Amino acid sequence: MKSYGAEFFGTFWLVLGGCGSAVLAAAFPGLGIGFTGVSLAFGLTVLTMAYAIGHISGCHLNPAVSIGLWAGGRFPANKLLPYIVAQVLGGIVAGGVLYLIASGKAGFDLAGGFASNGYGEHSPGGFSLTAALVCEVVMTMMFLIVILGATDARAPQGFAPLPIGLCLTLIHLISIPVTNTSVNPARSTAVAVYVGGWATSQLWLFWVAPIIGALLGAVVYRLIAANDR
């Protein structure tokens, strides 16, 4: 239960820190942090939580990561569902807290997207469904390769949170214009449930693509690391 609680609060922090920076600070008049700041915020949430709860739950914070670690032989199947439930619930609670904060400003409107992920007319850059699918699959695949490599027993010990957090930052720098960056079904669900409408109707992609990418990342890492064992 401690590991499930850690995943709940870790994912809560990821959504509150990452999506919160996008909703509250990205476009703040004159002082907005923009895409770069939001990218860094997501990376920092993972970096800080990895040191805070990595020794308790492994700090997955992401259903796709949990599935990828299972496929990579690093995580037991019997913990997958409880981890995913804890992650999604933690994200949704964080989305609720963020809504309470954001709605305290006059003129707040969920029609602005509330940091939801989307494609087509709901992509920040107007990218198509195909582009969004490819982007999310590839970005999640690379994220899993970095996670599996950084946490490998042969890697330098104690430094894994740094490359993982920086990798997530880089992923956001690349893909915010395409999908607003998911690579995490819990993060996508956390805000989509409050927006409803188009956000929930497009949510399927931000479950399917990250999971496919995570499975591919696990396969690729097992192939490139196998001969070195």
Side-chain angles (χ1 to χ4, degrees):
M1 292 304 297
K2 290 181 179 179
S3 62
Y4 306 147
E7 286 297 303
F8 176 94
F9 285 106
T11 311
F12 174 93
W13 184 233
L14 181 142
V15 171
L16 188 61
C19 295
S21 69
V23 171
L24 303 173
F28 195 85
L31 297 170
I33 61 175
F35 285 176
T36 302
V38 174
S39 300
L40 185 59
F42 272 100
L44 287 173
T45 61
V46 171
L47 173 62
T48 53
M49 274 295 123
Y51 280 115
I53 66 169
H55 56 288
I56 301 171
S57 68
C59 191
H60 299 183
L61 317 185
N62 182 337
V65 168
S66 296
I67 292 170
L69 290 174
W70 162 76
R74 304 276 189 88
F75 191 65
N78 65 341
K79 287 189 176 182
L80 265 180
L81 183 58
Y83 261 56
I84 292 171
V85 170
Q87 292 156 359
V88 172
L89 289 178
I92 290 173
V93 172
V97 171
L98 179 57
Y99 176 79
L100 289 174
I101 296 170
S103 61
K105 180 182 178 181
F108 171 75
D109 187 357
L110 284 172
F114 200 50
S116 293
N117 302 112
Y119 54 84
E121 64 178 307
H122 301 293
S123 158
F127 288 83
S128 68
L129 166 60
T130 301
L133 176 65
V134 171
C135 183
E136 288 290 326
V137 168
V138 173
M139 294 300 152
T140 314
M141 180 185 72
M142 296 308 300
F143 193 33
L144 259 293
I145 292 172
V146 171
I147 290 170
L148 289 166
T151 57
D152 195 298
R154 297 161 294 174
Q157 299 301 298
F159 296 100
L162 294 172
I164 293 171
L166 290 172
C167 180
L168 189 60
T169 298
L170 177 58
I171 285 170
H172 279 77
L173 288 171
I174 298 168
S175 60
I176 286 179
V178 183
T179 62
N180 221 14
T181 309
S182 173
V183 302
N184 184 340
R187 169 261 186 271
S188 298
T189 304
V191 288
V193 295
Y194 294 95
V195 176
W198 69 265
T200 50
S201 69
Q202 294 192 355
L203 183 59
W204 67 270
L205 184 137
F206 303 105
W207 275 86
V208 172
I211 290 173
I212 292 173
L215 292 172
L216 288 174
V219 170
V220 169
Y221 188 76
R222 294 187 83 156
L223 288 173
I224 62 177
N227 292 335
D228 198 26
R229 292 186 182 276

